[in-house]
Amino acid sequence: MNSDSESPPRTPAPVIGVAAADLDRAAAIILAGGLVAIPTETVYGLAADATNPAAVAKIFTAKGRPSFNPLICHVSGLAMAETLADFSPLARALASRFWPGPLTLVLPRKSSCPVADLATAGLPSIALRSPKHVAALGLIARVGRPLAAPSANPSETLSPTTAQHVAHNLASKIDLILDGGACEAGLESTIVAPGETGAVMLRPGALARAEIEQLTGPLTAPDDASRVLAPGMLRRHYAPRARLRLNALDVTPGEAFLGFGPPPEGVSPSLNLSIRGDLEEAAANLFAMLRALDETHVEIAVAPIPGAGLGEGINDRLKRAGALA
Ligand code: TXA
Ligand code: MG
């Protein structure tokens, strides 16, 4: 026991599957105010009943997350979302086109929105997405309420893409882990704030910019005000302990090399995000591979990753992971 303020050790959360009976068990825990780690198509989320302030507070404690950082609320679809936020025609078009899927919309919160203020950090806006994962959707349907769920990792560390990652870092702080296998995308959702005409890109992610721009026109960068409103934009975030050297074309002794595509002459990568140079495959591997190399090395050289498509989100995460503390 280290200090009086520390909560007593808890039994590690059981890791169960995603069959109907498992989802029933998870729903009961959520409705009782507990925390359940859930698979989504992007990364694993740490879910609680978004309308229960005490349950939402437990998320911040488990993650060690600053309370000013608002959470994404996961909904079954547009109908549930429209009870929480005001949708402009553009917002509705985006949701209709990309939900369920890896697009989070930041929208004006309705005054009747039952979501706990803590989940939205007291902001007049709310971040919403409908996840494209049968277990996540099955759980939301059972609970019948939005689920507040940040990525299921301690604050500032790598996002989990398997149930084992969650178990490793959070098991003693949460109630249950649903194992739905490895996440398909492996990168968090793209976050967009649609306005009356255009839209602001708050965080690049698993949905490529070009797809969104077909509906919104060119996405603009957040101004200083919205930067404060999206602390996921914090400079150091998603970070391993190891030092990262980006755009590396060689490897120095003692460094791990995280490759992308065919390795440079004379370099044999420790791991390769995608030997075929496929950005989707690289996104899916990113966090798991950084995590694996972080176990064995204090320096990781990372091959250049093209910036197009999902490369924008991958490079964003690498830059933040590499920023000095
Ligand atoms: O793919 C994902 O988005 C995953 C899965 C679990 O859905 N979730 C996720 O959540 O990455 P989290 O909490 O790690 O990141 C949520 C981001 C944060 O950067 C937060 O600042 C931003 O969303 N956010 C939430 N509400 C916001 C709001 N009202 N305005 C601006 N940004 C907001
Ligand atoms: Mg996160």
Side-chain angles (χ1 to χ4, degrees), residues 63 151 153 159 237-238:
K63 280 182 65 87
S151 50
N153 53 291
S159 294
H237 206 78
Y238 313 104

Side-chain angles (χ1 to χ4, degrees), residues 38-47 59 63 65 68-74 101-107 119-121 123-129 131 148-153 159-160 187-191 193 202-203 206 226-234 237-238 317:
I38 62 166
T40 82
E41 82 281 32
T42 58
V43 299
Y44 272 72
L46 181 56
I59 294 180
K63 280 182 65 87
R65 176 165 180 154
F68 53 74
N69 199 345
L71 308 174
I72 295 173
C73 293
H74 296 70
L103 176 68
T104 295
L105 297 174
V106 172
L107 300 168
T120 51
L123 296 171
S125 57
I126 184 167
L128 297 173
R129 94 176 184 95
S151 50
N153 53 291
S159 294
L187 193 64
E188 297 87 348
S189 61
T190 302
I191 306 182
L202 292 173
R203 177 178 77 179
S226 48
R227 219 181 278 281
V228 178
L229 295 186
M233 312 288 290
L234 290 173
H237 206 78
Y238 313 104
R317 300 305 185 277

Side-chain angles (χ1 to χ4, degrees), residues 195-207:
E196 286 309 314
T197 47
V200 179
M201 165 80 101
L202 292 173
R203 177 178 77 179
L207 183 63

Side-chain angles (χ1 to χ4, degrees), residues 5 21-22 44-45 90 98 101 103 117 122 126-127 131 155 168 180 186 193 202 240 284 301 322:
S5 62
D22 298 319
Y44 272 72
L90 179 58
F98 296 114
L103 176 68
D117 280 332
I126 184 167
S155 195
H168 188 66
L202 292 173

